[in-house]
Amino acid sequence: MSPTAASLAIPASPRVHALLQRLHAASAAQEHTLSQSWFYLKRLIAFHLFSTTWAAAADDHMRDKFVALEEDKCHFVYLLARSSGALNIVEAGTSFGVSTIYPALAVGQNVADQKARGASVSGRVVATEKEPTKAARAREHWAEAGDEIAGVIDLREGDLLETLKRDDMPEQVDFLLLDIWTPMALPTLKIVKPRLKKGAIVLADNTKMARALYKEYLDYLHDPANGFKTTEVPYSGGLQMSVYLPDESS
Ligand SMILES: C[S@@+](CC[C@H](N)C(=O)[O-])C[C@H]1O[C@@H](n2cnc3c(N)ncnc32)[C@H](O)[C@@H]1O
């Protein structure tokens, strides 16, 4: 049997691979419907006509949707987290917890590598979800994945503009994944920024597809005074990758 893209990118148990395959398929089935395409189109139209960035009705519509990060982007997240040796990752926007499994695998494996070299380290993925029903589904999926995943995740339920301000955050954040409604991207980055280590990676999803909605976020990244180097990775919809490299001489 030829290897799958998932098995080439991600070392994980057959149980975790089977779970991920099932969850990505369920998410893709929801996304590839006419009603979901119409929902996204309506959002863009509302933004251009009325400058509406998000509405309570959109939360209602999204409550039973996975909107999971696509599988190829999840592989990229995992590989970046492994190559950078990330120990503390923040995920803004967790939904049913699909994308969270990838940084959780990476952090668990990074910790194990360091421990094997004699270092005394720990790590975690701080996940965030404001919808209680979504948070409950995420916990179920992580329990199904097993302890190697569930034990690494610190899920904060509620508005991340509050939960990420708590004192019990990791002192240093190595990686920030922004998979959140577009108006939340910049406020979230600003909350986490004081904890970003030099060289921290920040990813934001769908920056090409929703470029107009990301204007303030992208303007912020493009201003050299804010300390980021940034490029768009040409995944479907665009994935903005930034590295925090503040100028320490000034
Ligand atoms: C695109 S989905 C995340 C998908 C997830 N990363 C995955 O790949 O499986 C964005 C999620 O962010 C949540 N969200 C939106 N605003 C939030 C806020 N202020 N605080 C916490 N979660 C929020 C939404 O409820 C939604 O489930």
Side-chain angles (χ1 to χ4, degrees):
M1 202 172 75
S2 51
T4 61
S7 68
L8 287 170
I10 314 288
S13 65
R15 183 169 60 166
V16 170
H17 277 299
L19 172 69
L20 288 171
Q21 209 182 355
R22 193 184 89 222
L23 298 181
H24 279 299
S27 180
Q30 283 181 338
E31 289 301 298
H32 298 151
T33 56
L34 267 181
S35 69
Q36 199 60 1
S37 303
W38 175 231
F39 170 79
Y40 293 124
L41 185 63
K42 269 193 308 192
R43 274 194 59 217
L44 278 176
I45 294 170
F47 175 73
H48 286 295
L49 290 184
F50 312 113
S51 302
T52 311
T53 51
W54 196 255
D59 275 333
D60 293 340
H61 174 88
M62 286 299 206
R63 198 157 292 122
D64 64 347
K65 308 290 185 300
F66 277 83
V67 264
L69 196 66
E70 294 94 326
E71 192 175 0
D72 53 356
K73 294 176 187 168
C74 287
H75 294 171
F76 188 57
V77 168
Y78 167 84
L79 290 171
L80 281 178
R82 282 292 272 153
S83 71
S84 61
L87 293 176
N88 289 294
I89 298 182
V90 175
E91 178 184 67
T94 290
S95 190
F96 297 156
V98 182
S99 58
T100 329
I101 292 174
Y102 294 86
L105 282 168
V107 166
Q109 293 165 7
N110 289 339
V111 168
D113 283 355
Q114 292 227 24
K115 284 190 170 162
R117 282 189 233 115
S120 162
V121 294
S122 63
R124 62 184 148 140
V125 176
V126 175
T128 53
E129 182 48 58
K130 70 173 182 175
E131 300 288 349
T133 51
K134 288 192 144 193
R137 284 278 297 277
R139 287 190 203 281
E140 283 170 24
H141 294 147
W142 301 333
E144 189 177 336
D147 279 349
E148 61 177 319
I149 309 292
V152 178
I153 300 170
D154 164 8
L155 175 62
R156 294 170 180 219
E157 290 188 45
D159 184 351
L160 60 78
L161 295 180
E162 298 305 323
T163 62
L164 292 181
K165 284 184 187 151
R166 280 169 22 193
D167 290 339
D168 58 348
M169 284 287 285
E171 221 162 272
Q172 179 175 277
V173 171
D174 306 309
F175 194 135
L176 170 63
L177 173 59
L178 294 165
D179 191 18
I180 190 79
W181 310 152
T182 48
M184 301 293 295
L186 184 55
T188 308
L189 177 63
K190 286 183 175 171
I191 290 174
V192 178
K193 189 179 173 191
R195 296 182 187 276
L196 290 180
K197 75 162 187 192
K198 183 172 182 182
I201 296 165
V202 180
L203 292 184
D205 189 32
N206 279 332
T207 44
K208 183 173 181 190
M209 183 184 92
R211 192 178 307 290
L213 294 161
Y214 269 117
K215 182 180 182 317
E216 287 181 8
Y217 177 77
L218 294 171
D219 285 351
Y220 185 86
L221 291 176
H222 293 158
D223 180 346
N226 294 318
F228 290 93
K229 296 293 175 204
T230 190
T231 189
E232 191 174 82
V233 189
Y235 280 109
S236 164
L239 185 71
Q240 194 74 26
M241 175 173 169
S242 310
V243 177
Y244 185 48
L245 291 170
D247 179 0
E248 284 161 359
S249 63
S250 55

